[in-house]
Amino acid sequence: MSANISVDRNLFRRVPKLLRGWVLPVLLVVLWWAAVRFGWSSSPFLVSIGSVWRRAVEQATSGALWDGLSASLWRDLAGFAIGASAGLLFGAALGLSRLFENLVGPSFHTLKQISLFAWIPLLSVWFGLGDAAKVAFLSLAAFFPVVLNTFEGIRSVPGDLVEVARVLRFSRWQLFTRVVLPSASPSIFAGVHLALIYAWLATLGAEYLLVSGKGIGNTMIDGRDHFWMDLVIFGVIVVGLVGFTLNWIATRIENRLLAWRGRSVAGF
């Protein structure tokens, strides 16, 4: 038994690292092809890979894909920028000031318990059903993880470092920029990373619940309403690829900006 496991591990290690992540998607595509080819399901909604491919080509060549994708990405990035910026400032104030935490902390911790989608009725009344309401919704999705991670990062700064800074007579600004911010930056970047993912997920939710204008979510709703399952599956694939790309970009930026962590550990 152990010999078989060892053989399987060696076989897996021979697959190039970049290709290992494609193993599961390829298996799912093969399973999908086999289900259609051999008629394992009688559902008319199980469309073929070729049908989805033809729909993808039609969407790309007609420009509908780029119109919807650009509209969704614009909302996503606008909401992320607003929510993450506000979250950084609010989280820093919460972490640095006991007075501010005592004044607004209880209210914040109460508001964060409210489901994100519960804000939709209020936002639609305040901002209508257009882009303003969607961007406000995405800002909320990005705001909370950044606040929580910034707060936790600042509060977890080792006390020894703060004492050393005080012995060296650091000013408050020096203490923040040279001790607190570098020490809290891994947690802050983790929050920003989460906010980027949440904002993209919320983009689809906003387009589903605030149905107006263009967007990938609206494209999928159009496909669902007309029973065009190839369009729905194509939309799901696009959403997954965009999410993967955003996560990859965020990981690369985070690794680059926090590369000093690895050097510190190695140096120590």
Side-chain angles (χ1 to χ4, degrees):
M1 183 65 180
S2 61
N4 290 335
I5 293 175
S6 178
V7 170
D8 291 342
R9 286 178 177 173
N10 291 332
L11 183 63
F12 184 74
R13 286 171 181 167
R14 289 175 189 168
V15 178
K17 188 176 179 180
L18 287 175
L19 297 180
R20 292 174 191 170
W22 288 96
V23 171
L24 182 58
V26 169
L27 287 176
L28 289 175
V29 169
V30 171
L31 186 62
W32 176 12
W33 171 83
V36 175
R37 176 67 178 82
F38 299 108
W40 292 346
S41 172
S42 59
S43 172
F45 300 116
L46 183 63
V47 295
S48 66
I49 296 174
S51 176
V52 175
W53 173 252
R54 287 189 291 275
R55 179 67 73 174
V57 172
E58 179 256 326
Q59 287 282 306
T61 54
S62 68
L65 169 63
W66 314 118
D67 288 345
L69 192 57
S70 59
S72 294
L73 283 175
W74 177 86
R75 292 187 196 107
D76 175 47
L77 295 178
F80 167 73
I82 295 171
S85 301
L88 280 172
L89 294 175
F90 191 88
L94 208 61
L96 292 171
S97 171
R98 293 284 182 184
L99 175 62
F100 188 75
E101 183 191 5
N102 291 332
L103 287 175
V104 304
S107 300
F108 169 76
H109 291 297
T110 302
L111 290 175
K112 78 178 183 184
Q113 304 299 328
I114 300 173
S115 169
L116 191 60
F117 289 98
W119 291 97
I120 289 283
L122 279 179
L123 293 177
S124 61
V125 171
W126 292 340
F127 300 102
L129 299 176
D131 282 340
K134 295 174 184 173
V135 171
F137 181 69
L138 302 183
S139 300
L140 276 177
F143 177 74
F144 288 106
V146 174
V147 172
L148 291 172
N149 280 272
T150 303
F151 172 74
E152 291 296 332
I154 291 175
R155 283 298 169 86
S156 62
V157 174
D160 294 345
L161 291 179
V162 177
E163 286 299 321
V164 170
R166 286 174 177 163
V167 170
L168 295 175
R169 298 181 181 279
F170 277 18
S171 65
R172 293 177 69 87
W173 177 250
Q174 287 175 319
L175 176 65
F176 178 71
T177 56
R178 297 185 183 183
V179 177
V180 175
L181 197 56
S183 182
S185 56
S187 180
I188 294 173
F189 275 105
V192 173
H193 195 151
L194 278 177
L196 185 64
I197 296 171
Y198 288 176
W200 176 242
L201 296 176
T203 300
L204 278 299
E207 291 173 356
Y208 254 94
L209 298 172
L210 300 169
V211 184
S212 66
K214 296 178 179 177
I216 290 298
N218 300 88
T219 301
M220 295 169 65
I221 292 171
D222 192 38
R224 181 202 62 188
D225 291 344
H226 292 87
F227 297 100
W228 296 334
M229 296 312 296
D230 49 358
L231 184 59
V232 175
I233 294 175
F234 170 66
V236 171
I237 293 172
V238 171
V239 169
L241 290 176
V242 172
F244 174 82
T245 304
L246 291 175
N247 185 60
W248 181 81
I249 292 172
T251 302
R252 299 281 292 182
I253 293 174
E254 186 178 347
N255 290 340
R256 177 65 64 89
L257 294 178
L258 298 180
W260 56 269
R261 290 183 304 179
R263 290 197 296 270
S264 296
V265 172
F268 184 78

PDB file of all heavy atoms in Angstrom, residues 28-41:
ATOM      1  N   LEU A  28     -12.479  17.674 -15.057  1.00  0.00           N
ATOM      2  CA  LEU A  28     -13.885  18.100 -15.099  1.00  0.00           C
ATOM      3  C   LEU A  28     -14.367  18.276 -16.535  1.00  0.00           C
ATOM      4  O   LEU A  28     -15.503  17.905 -16.873  1.00  0.00           O
ATOM      5  CB  LEU A  28     -14.048  19.414 -14.323  1.00  0.00           C
ATOM      6  CG  LEU A  28     -13.910  19.321 -12.800  1.00  0.00           C
ATOM      7  CD1 LEU A  28     -13.970  20.707 -12.170  1.00  0.00           C
ATOM      8  CD2 LEU A  28     -15.001  18.431 -12.222  1.00  0.00           C
ATOM      9  N   VAL A  29     -13.503  18.831 -17.396  1.00  0.00           N
ATOM     10  CA  VAL A  29     -13.879  19.001 -18.805  1.00  0.00           C
ATOM     11  C   VAL A  29     -14.072  17.640 -19.472  1.00  0.00           C
ATOM     12  O   VAL A  29     -15.025  17.435 -20.242  1.00  0.00           O
ATOM     13  CB  VAL A  29     -12.800  19.832 -19.541  1.00  0.00           C
ATOM     14  CG1 VAL A  29     -13.039  19.793 -21.055  1.00  0.00           C
ATOM     15  CG2 VAL A  29     -12.818  21.270 -19.050  1.00  0.00           C
ATOM     16  N   VAL A  30     -13.177  16.707 -19.172  1.00  0.00           N
ATOM     17  CA  VAL A  30     -13.309  15.360 -19.746  1.00  0.00           C
ATOM     18  C   VAL A  30     -14.607  14.698 -19.275  1.00  0.00           C
ATOM     19  O   VAL A  30     -15.332  14.064 -20.057  1.00  0.00           O
ATOM     20  CB  VAL A  30     -12.082  14.491 -19.368  1.00  0.00           C
ATOM     21  CG1 VAL A  30     -12.313  13.028 -19.758  1.00  0.00           C
ATOM     22  CG2 VAL A  30     -10.833  15.036 -20.031  1.00  0.00           C
ATOM     23  N   LEU A  31     -14.918  14.882 -17.979  1.00  0.00           N
ATOM     24  CA  LEU A  31     -16.153  14.320 -17.432  1.00  0.00           C
ATOM     25  C   LEU A  31     -17.379  14.958 -18.092  1.00  0.00           C
ATOM     26  O   LEU A  31     -18.357  14.278 -18.411  1.00  0.00           O
ATOM     27  CB  LEU A  31     -16.183  14.553 -15.921  1.00  0.00           C
ATOM     28  CG  LEU A  31     -17.328  13.901 -15.146  1.00  0.00           C
ATOM     29  CD1 LEU A  31     -17.262  12.383 -15.265  1.00  0.00           C
ATOM     30  CD2 LEU A  31     -17.278  14.312 -13.669  1.00  0.00           C
ATOM     31  N   TRP A  32     -17.310  16.280 -18.301  1.00  0.00           N
ATOM     32  CA  TRP A  32     -18.401  17.007 -18.961  1.00  0.00           C
ATOM     33  C   TRP A  32     -18.586  16.486 -20.391  1.00  0.00           C
ATOM     34  O   TRP A  32     -19.704  16.199 -20.815  1.00  0.00           O
ATOM     35  CB  TRP A  32     -18.033  18.489 -18.957  1.00  0.00           C
ATOM     36  CG  TRP A  32     -18.965  19.409 -19.674  1.00  0.00           C
ATOM     37  CD1 TRP A  32     -20.221  19.129 -20.135  1.00  0.00           C
ATOM     38  CD2 TRP A  32     -18.705  20.762 -20.021  1.00  0.00           C
ATOM     39  NE1 TRP A  32     -20.754  20.225 -20.744  1.00  0.00           N
ATOM     40  CE2 TRP A  32     -19.853  21.245 -20.683  1.00  0.00           C
ATOM     41  CE3 TRP A  32     -17.619  21.625 -19.834  1.00  0.00           C
ATOM     42  CZ2 TRP A  32     -19.925  22.550 -21.169  1.00  0.00           C
ATOM     43  CZ3 TRP A  32     -17.696  22.920 -20.294  1.00  0.00           C
ATOM     44  CH2 TRP A  32     -18.842  23.374 -20.954  1.00  0.00           C
ATOM     45  N   TRP A  33     -17.482  16.339 -21.114  1.00  0.00           N
ATOM     46  CA  TRP A  33     -17.551  15.838 -22.504  1.00  0.00           C
ATOM     47  C   TRP A  33     -18.156  14.436 -22.536  1.00  0.00           C
ATOM     48  O   TRP A  33     -19.017  14.125 -23.375  1.00  0.00           O
ATOM     49  CB  TRP A  33     -16.147  15.823 -23.109  1.00  0.00           C
ATOM     50  CG  TRP A  33     -16.090  15.125 -24.442  1.00  0.00           C
ATOM     51  CD1 TRP A  33     -16.386  15.644 -25.666  1.00  0.00           C
ATOM     52  CD2 TRP A  33     -15.752  13.758 -24.660  1.00  0.00           C
ATOM     53  NE1 TRP A  33     -16.247  14.700 -26.637  1.00  0.00           N
ATOM     54  CE2 TRP A  33     -15.858  13.521 -26.043  1.00  0.00           C
ATOM     55  CE3 TRP A  33     -15.364  12.706 -23.825  1.00  0.00           C
ATOM     56  CZ2 TRP A  33     -15.582  12.278 -26.614  1.00  0.00           C
ATOM     57  CZ3 TRP A  33     -15.098  11.478 -24.392  1.00  0.00           C
ATOM     58  CH2 TRP A  33     -15.216  11.272 -25.776  1.00  0.00           C
ATOM     59  N   ALA A  34     -17.695  13.578 -21.607  1.00  0.00           N
ATOM     60  CA  ALA A  34     -18.180  12.191 -21.590  1.00  0.00           C
ATOM     61  C   ALA A  34     -19.671  12.133 -21.250  1.00  0.00           C
ATOM     62  O   ALA A  34     -20.420  11.322 -21.818  1.00  0.00           O
ATOM     63  CB  ALA A  34     -17.367  11.378 -20.576  1.00  0.00           C
ATOM     64  N   ALA A  35     -20.107  13.034 -20.323  1.00  0.00           N
ATOM     65  CA  ALA A  35     -21.530  13.032 -19.939  1.00  0.00           C
ATOM     66  C   ALA A  35     -22.415  13.380 -21.125  1.00  0.00           C
ATOM     67  O   ALA A  35     -23.495  12.801 -21.304  1.00  0.00           O
ATOM     68  CB  ALA A  35     -21.751  14.021 -18.791  1.00  0.00           C
ATOM     69  N   VAL A  36     -21.973  14.335 -21.952  1.00  0.00           N
ATOM     70  CA  VAL A  36     -22.757  14.720 -23.128  1.00  0.00           C
ATOM     71  C   VAL A  36     -22.628  13.655 -24.220  1.00  0.00           C
ATOM     72  O   VAL A  36     -23.613  13.249 -24.856  1.00  0.00           O
ATOM     73  CB  VAL A  36     -22.285  16.093 -23.660  1.00  0.00           C
ATOM     74  CG1 VAL A  36     -23.007  16.442 -24.959  1.00  0.00           C
ATOM     75  CG2 VAL A  36     -22.522  17.169 -22.610  1.00  0.00           C
ATOM     76  N   ARG A  37     -21.396  13.185 -24.429  1.00  0.00           N
ATOM     77  CA  ARG A  37     -21.134  12.243 -25.534  1.00  0.00           C
ATOM     78  C   ARG A  37     -21.874  10.920 -25.342  1.00  0.00           C
ATOM     79  O   ARG A  37     -22.438  10.368 -26.305  1.00  0.00           O
ATOM     80  CB  ARG A  37     -19.624  11.992 -25.604  1.00  0.00           C
ATOM     81  CG  ARG A  37     -19.190  10.951 -26.631  1.00  0.00           C
ATOM     82  CD  ARG A  37     -19.444  11.438 -28.054  1.00  0.00           C
ATOM     83  NE  ARG A  37     -18.987  10.478 -29.040  1.00  0.00           N
ATOM     84  CZ  ARG A  37     -19.672   9.412 -29.419  1.00  0.00           C
ATOM     85  NH1 ARG A  37     -20.863   9.180 -28.854  1.00  0.00           N
ATOM     86  NH2 ARG A  37     -19.197   8.588 -30.326  1.00  0.00           N
ATOM     87  N   PHE A  38     -21.920  10.425 -24.118  1.00  0.00           N
ATOM     88  CA  PHE A  38     -22.520   9.115 -23.870  1.00  0.00           C
ATOM     89  C   PHE A  38     -23.927   9.206 -23.276  1.00  0.00           C
ATOM     90  O   PHE A  38     -24.507   8.188 -22.886  1.00  0.00           O
ATOM     91  CB  PHE A  38     -21.617   8.288 -22.947  1.00  0.00           C
ATOM     92  CG  PHE A  38     -20.251   8.043 -23.540  1.00  0.00           C
ATOM     93  CD1 PHE A  38     -19.130   8.689 -23.032  1.00  0.00           C
ATOM     94  CD2 PHE A  38     -20.091   7.186 -24.627  1.00  0.00           C
ATOM     95  CE1 PHE A  38     -17.876   8.473 -23.581  1.00  0.00           C
ATOM     96  CE2 PHE A  38     -18.828   6.957 -25.190  1.00  0.00           C
ATOM     97  CZ  PHE A  38     -17.718   7.610 -24.674  1.00  0.00           C
ATOM     98  N   GLY A  39     -24.460  10.450 -23.207  1.00  0.00           N
ATOM     99  CA  GLY A  39     -25.850  10.624 -22.779  1.00  0.00           C
ATOM    100  C   GLY A  39     -26.114  10.209 -21.358  1.00  0.00           C
ATOM    101  O   GLY A  39     -27.152   9.603 -21.066  1.00  0.00           O
ATOM    102  N   TRP A  40     -25.197  10.533 -20.427  1.00  0.00           N
ATOM    103  CA  TRP A  40     -25.398  10.145 -19.037  1.00  0.00           C
ATOM    104  C   TRP A  40     -26.529  10.933 -18.384  1.00  0.00           C
ATOM    105  O   TRP A  40     -27.049  10.550 -17.352  1.00  0.00           O
ATOM    106  CB  TRP A  40     -24.107  10.368 -18.232  1.00  0.00           C
ATOM    107  CG  TRP A  40     -23.010   9.424 -18.648  1.00  0.00           C
ATOM    108  CD1 TRP A  40     -23.145   8.313 -19.407  1.00  0.00           C
ATOM    109  CD2 TRP A  40     -21.622   9.522 -18.328  1.00  0.00           C
ATOM    110  NE1 TRP A  40     -21.928   7.695 -19.598  1.00  0.00           N
ATOM    111  CE2 TRP A  40     -20.982   8.419 -18.930  1.00  0.00           C
ATOM    112  CE3 TRP A  40     -20.858  10.417 -17.593  1.00  0.00           C
ATOM    113  CZ2 TRP A  40     -19.609   8.203 -18.832  1.00  0.00           C
ATOM    114  CZ3 TRP A  40     -19.491  10.198 -17.481  1.00  0.00           C
ATOM    115  CH2 TRP A  40     -18.885   9.109 -18.097  1.00  0.00           C
ATOM    116  N   SER A  41     -26.884  12.078 -18.977  1.00  0.00           N
ATOM    117  CA  SER A  41     -27.983  12.880 -18.450  1.00  0.00           C
ATOM    118  C   SER A  41     -28.947  13.206 -19.583  1.00  0.00           C
ATOM    119  O   SER A  41     -28.525  13.525 -20.699  1.00  0.00           O
ATOM    120  CB  SER A  41     -27.447  14.174 -17.818  1.00  0.00           C
ATOM    121  OG  SER A  41     -28.517  15.030 -17.475  1.00  0.00           O
TER     122      SER A  41
END
